[in-house]
Amino acid sequence: MATSRREPSGFVSLLLLLAGVLLFWLTVPNLGNAARAATADGPRGTFTAARLVCVGHSGHTTCEWSGTFRSDDGTVETGSVKLYGSGRGTFEAGQTAPAVDVGNAGRVYDPSGSRAWIVTVLLVVLAYVLLVTVARRWGRSRPGGLSGVCPSAPR
């Protein structure tokens, strides 16, 4: 059975390229914060809960506690931060908990670390897969693959 070789759609390739570049642009700058949050790398201190902030979307409500953070040595004092992973029943206003400031503006983390890095890494991998897909589609659609464009490319 003979198969016809169609040239890949330029529009689809453009969409894949834009999606891959956008994902890289959004996720790569956050890799450092994600790694520091996973390892709880930063000044340790105390989070003081002030108020519960809830956001409703798609029939689901997510809540986090907002408050202040003060490092143990007193060098870092931040107001209006949220404790990542805190939920509706975690605190009452005025209660304190140990926390770590990893440098992520507006957010502090539990000293045991965070699993937020998983989503960031998955999105970086997805961006890479999209960009490789575009490169392969583009390379296959040219006679001789990428060797005509890049002399060092394998044949």
Side-chain angles (χ1 to χ4, degrees):
M1 180 173 167
T3 59
S4 66
R5 238 181 112 97
R6 290 186 328 166
E7 198 167 305
S9 164
F11 180 71
V12 172
S13 294
L14 177 64
L15 288 178
L16 292 173
L17 177 66
L18 290 175
V21 169
L22 179 65
L23 278 175
F24 261 128
W25 181 71
L26 290 172
T27 55
V28 169
N30 293 319
L31 284 174
N33 282 341
R36 285 189 298 278
T39 59
D41 180 26
R44 294 183 181 274
T46 303
F47 171 79
T48 304
R51 66 187 179 93
L52 186 63
V53 178
C54 296
V55 176
H57 48 85
S58 303
H60 175 73
T61 302
T62 303
C63 298
E64 283 184 307
W65 278 91
S66 177
T68 59
F69 173 80
R70 184 172 199 275
S71 64
D72 291 338
D73 62 5
T75 59
V76 178
E77 285 193 49
T78 310
S80 189
V81 295
K82 293 179 183 172
L83 179 62
Y84 180 83
S86 60
R88 195 178 288 272
T90 309
F91 296 107
E92 290 183 13
Q95 282 186 307
T96 62
V100 177
D101 181 2
V102 299
N104 191 355
R107 191 168 301 278
V108 294
Y109 294 84
D110 186 271
S112 63
S114 164
R115 292 192 182 123
W117 64 271
I118 296 170
V119 172
T120 303
V121 169
L122 288 175
L123 289 174
V124 168
V125 169
L126 177 60
Y128 177 77
V129 167
L130 289 173
L131 294 175
V132 166
T133 301
V134 169
R136 284 187 172 176
R137 288 170 59 102
W138 188 77
R140 284 188 197 141
S141 70
R142 306 289 181 267
L146 291 176
S147 61
V149 177
C150 180
S152 63
R155 289 186 183 243

